[in-house]
Amino acid sequence: MAQWFPETDALARQIRRLAQHGALPHAAILSGSGDRLGAARFFAAALLCRQDEGRPCLRCSACRKVIDGIHPDVRLVQDSERRELSVETVRQLRQDVYIRPNEGERKVYIFADCEQLNERDQNVLLKIVEEGPAYAAFLFCAESASALLPTIRSRCVELKLRGEDEASVSEDALALCRAFASARISPVVQLTVGWENRRMKREALQQALEDAWQLCAQALLLQCGKAPGTGPAAETSDALQRALRRHQLQQLVECLRQYAGECRYNVGPGHVLGALAARWEAIIR
Ligand SMILES: [Zn+2]
């Protein structure tokens, strides 16, 4: 399986937030050090995910295909044989872009290494980025955005990878996920009751549930063969994937997504915490 992008990267949140507001740009540069291609696939999944909320869900058929690199509407543009892309590759792309997507509503072109794009290619691409059909999206991966001509850069939103080390996951989310990783009912109940007693604010609860959701989604990916990372967030995801079965993790991801969403809609924290504890009991039983 293709390597996957860490949910704990700040960029993952940024992409999720953009997707939530229907504001994912149609052209983006994914720059900085780290798994740029993974980030581009994550972005592509957000564009093609079949869920209305919490995109990318990383579970629907569209997300799975993007992760596995077999989605027919996602084209990976690269040439591992040559230093630069061939004229033919770029010419084909210019025609391909006008063929409507197969399965999804979008067609996504991922340029794995912008160092492979010479000036001529970039000028051709500029026209497509500017005048191409509305369903087409272009994701350029580059260590530095300066690999692209200023004309292309000005059409793109630059999204920077910050790497797993700088990821910030709330302490509450870590505590919640460690309680889940106990695979027992009482630690989760104790924790949620404690949160209720300290009158945790809705915004803080939303943040904790969103972070916990990401950690659980990451645990699911670890079970699917993704290589584990380092740091407290990665260790917690690893503990989760060891302690819980796949269907339990799936249910957990789903319920955290749902409750994080309910926090956005003014549902009281006490109600959400009570429901979460009850769901956990059903999942673990
Ligand atoms: Zn999905």
Side-chain angles (χ1 to χ4, degrees), residues 92-136:
Q92 273 171 3
L93 196 152
R94 204 165 48 182
Q95 293 171 350
D96 183 77
V97 76
Y98 289 100
I99 303 168
R100 291 198 60 86
N102 253 300
E103 285 186 10
E105 284 169 12
R106 305 296 298 267
K107 202 160 178 176
V108 188
Y109 294 89
I110 298 175
F111 297 87
D113 179 9
C114 289
E115 299 287 344
Q116 286 200 312
L117 301 170
N118 60 30
E119 202 173 322
R120 180 202 63 219
D121 296 341
Q122 292 197 32
N123 280 316
V124 173
L125 288 171
L126 176 64
K127 265 196 125 69
I128 306 174
V129 170
E130 276 188 321
E131 299 162 13
Y135 56 73

Side-chain angles (χ1 to χ4, degrees), residues 15-28:
I15 291 172
R16 285 196 180 280
R17 219 171 295 134
L18 289 167
Q20 189 188 329
H21 293 100
L24 287 169
H26 90 292

Side-chain angles (χ1 to χ4, degrees), residues 192 195-196 202 205-206 209 255-256 258-279:
T192 52
W195 286 0
E196 218 177 321
R202 196 159 51 85
L205 178 59
Q206 181 183 344
L209 295 181
C255 101
L256 289 167
Q258 182 192 334
Y259 292 133
E262 284 184 7
C263 287
R264 283 197 287 273
Y265 298 119
N266 231 345
V267 179
H271 173 84
V272 172
L273 286 168
L276 177 65
R279 275 282 278 281

Side-chain angles (χ1 to χ4, degrees), residues 45 48-51 55-63:
L48 289 158
C49 177
R50 294 179 185 275
Q51 297 287 331
R55 288 182 296 161
C57 72
L58 306 179
R59 287 168 34 249
C60 72
S61 62
C63 283

Side-chain angles (χ1 to χ4, degrees), residues 129-150:
V129 170
E130 276 188 321
E131 299 162 13
Y135 56 73
F138 305 88
L139 307 177
F140 298 97
C141 302
E143 171 100 51
S144 159
S146 63
L148 291 160
L149 295 175

